[in-house]
Amino acid sequence: MAGLLLNAYGELFRRTSRIRFQAHPGVEHLVREQGAAVIFALWHRHAFFVPLLRGFRRQPITVLLSAHRDAQIVAVAVRLRGLKVVAGSSTRGGLKAYLHLRRVLDQRQSVCITPDGPKGPAEQVKAGVIHLAQLSGCAIVPVAVSCSRVHRLRSWDRSVLPLPFSRVVIALGEPLRSEGPLEEGQERLAAGLRQVAALAGEPLP
């Protein structure tokens, strides 16, 4: 029931809000022209906006969510919005989940990961997303969101709950290839997420 209510709220928000994509030319080329699979990465505080990514290109997207009970409520809403879900995290079921994501990417379907989830620290890129990019050879696309009307939850990441009748900008940054040392890849993705946040005009948490 909670998942159904969350989905209904998400639909209310989508139908009453003005949503605009702002994409780097490299993303346009990879996703829209070549139909390539990519790894969308956005901070955990923007998890509510993940279903909107399907509006950039009507193709299947698989989302990595925690196996925790609260995340499975979100999973119900995500599936109702037309996305697929893989359950797992860095602390529970992580290896199995990432192997599943690797198979999804091999099938030329994109995935979405919150690189600082499920428990933080906020805005610190964990190693999993970089490993996945290196193993699959797929580019990581940093994503940021700016929403005119929001409520911030009192969670570890100050999660954003968007309000209806908003103006939304979803910015897709330059695709990143994860080559070289792991730490370097983490730093590059963190920098890319900060850069695309500025591009979207996202206010500070």
Side-chain angles (χ1 to χ4, degrees):
M1 182 61 70
L4 290 173
L5 291 173
L6 184 60
N7 175 62
Y9 183 82
E11 277 298 297
L12 173 66
F13 166 74
R14 185 183 67 82
R15 291 176 181 272
T16 61
S17 298
R18 184 180 301 173
I19 301 166
R20 178 170 62 91
F21 285 93
Q22 190 170 314
H24 185 278
V27 182
E28 294 275 2
H29 178 68
L30 272 178
V31 177
R32 284 186 168 168
E33 296 176 16
Q34 293 189 342
V38 297
I39 303 168
F40 293 108
L42 73 170
W43 296 131
H44 191 273
R45 65 172 176 267
H46 289 146
F48 188 95
F49 298 95
V50 168
L52 298 180
L53 288 173
R54 288 195 71 221
F56 180 65
R57 183 176 184 271
R58 298 286 181 178
Q59 67 171 3
I61 297 178
T62 299
V63 184
L64 177 64
L65 290 176
S66 167
H68 190 272
R69 178 183 174 184
D70 291 346
Q72 292 310 297
I73 293 174
V74 176
V76 173
V78 167
R79 289 189 178 99
L80 288 171
R81 302 289 295 280
L83 281 74
K84 301 176 183 179
V85 174
V86 172
S89 68
S90 57
T91 57
R92 187 177 176 185
L95 178 59
K96 183 178 179 180
Y98 275 91
L99 289 175
H100 189 152
L101 293 177
R102 168 71 186 279
R103 290 194 295 272
V104 169
L105 291 167
D106 287 344
Q107 295 167 5
R108 295 178 65 85
Q109 297 182 15
S110 296
V111 306
C112 183
I113 295 177
T114 55
D116 57 343
K119 296 182 179 179
E123 296 194 12
Q124 289 192 21
V125 175
K126 295 180 179 177
V129 63
I130 307 301
H131 279 306
L132 181 62
Q134 291 176 339
L135 289 172
S136 66
C138 293
I140 304 175
V141 175
V143 180
V145 183
S146 177
C147 185
S148 61
R149 303 180 69 247
V150 302
H151 172 71
R152 288 193 179 272
L153 306 181
R154 293 182 179 179
S155 55
W156 60 267
D157 62 345
R158 301 285 290 155
S159 285
V160 173
L161 177 65
L163 302 178
F165 304 100
S166 294
R167 293 185 306 277
V168 183
V169 175
I170 302 176
L172 309 177
E174 181 180 3
L176 305 174
R177 297 288 180 179
S178 292
E179 301 171 350
L182 179 63
E183 295 78 8
E184 182 179 316
Q186 290 173 278
E187 291 172 1
R188 288 184 64 215
L189 177 53
L193 284 163
R194 289 192 295 269
Q195 184 178 38
V196 77
L199 183 66
E202 180 192 356
L204 294 174

